[in-house]
Amino acid sequence: MDALITSLLGYARAGELPPGDQYVALEPVVRAVLADLGAATEATDAKVTVDVPVDAEVRAGEYGVALVLQNLISNALKFNDDPSPKVAISARPREAVWRISVRDHGTGIDPQDLDGIFEPFQRGREPATPGSGLGLTTCRRIVERHGGSIGVVSQPGEGSEFWFTLPAA
């Protein structure tokens, strides 16, 4: 119950984040999130690669960007039965936005679950996995609040690529 209340508060607070009003360098935010997730990556013996140009800057709130990345990377580690999960984080410019991607080679997502994956309390076919079902909903709320979009490409057994866009600085 505590976890659910914490998740609900996080979701509510995501709606209160100010829209992107600062220039945020992506690479240092990615590194800080990975440092925060150090225990999780060590516990899973994860191999994380980062391909984010040092000049990648978005117009967003740093806290919101970090929350989205933390959730997506945590999910990449959580929904992975590989003894040494592989996660790739990248950023590429696209016209007036940056497209940030978190790719894993984990369990993937059933095609039936893709439509509602960003809806509240959608947990897919793995209900035994810890979580509230609000993480991706919170990510969507943050990204859209900052003028971006979010999506996923996935195949069962082949992993998932979660991506989001944010306005370029």
Side-chain angles (χ1 to χ4, degrees), residues 79-90:
F79 295 102
N80 204 315
D81 44 11
D82 187 328
S84 183
K86 294 169 190 64
V87 178
I89 304 159
S90 64

Side-chain angles (χ1 to χ4, degrees), residues 28-50:
V29 174
V30 170
R31 297 288 178 197
V33 167
L34 289 174
D36 287 346
L37 292 173
T41 56
E42 287 177 23
T44 59
D45 194 30
K47 307 296 184 235
V48 180
T49 59
V50 177

Side-chain angles (χ1 to χ4, degrees), residues 54-126:
V54 293
D55 66 342
E57 285 190 339
V58 294
R59 187 164 174 78
E62 185 173 340
Y63 179 71
V65 174
L67 281 176
V68 172
L69 285 166
Q70 183 173 26
N71 188 283
L72 297 180
I73 296 166
S74 294
N75 282 354
L77 297 173
K78 186 188 326 183
F79 295 102
N80 204 315
D81 44 11
D82 187 328
S84 183
K86 294 169 190 64
V87 178
I89 304 159
S90 64
R92 297 286 176 267
R94 297 240 171 123
E95 302 214 7
V97 300
W98 278 92
R99 185 180 192 273
I100 302 98
S101 170
V102 177
R103 171 93 170 102
D104 66 64
H105 300 283
T107 57
I109 302 166
D110 189 303
Q112 296 173 328
D113 296 330
L114 287 174
D115 285 343
I117 195 103
F118 295 100
E119 297 301 319
F121 308 112
Q122 296 300 311
R123 305 235 339 115
R125 306 273 181 241
E126 298 184 42

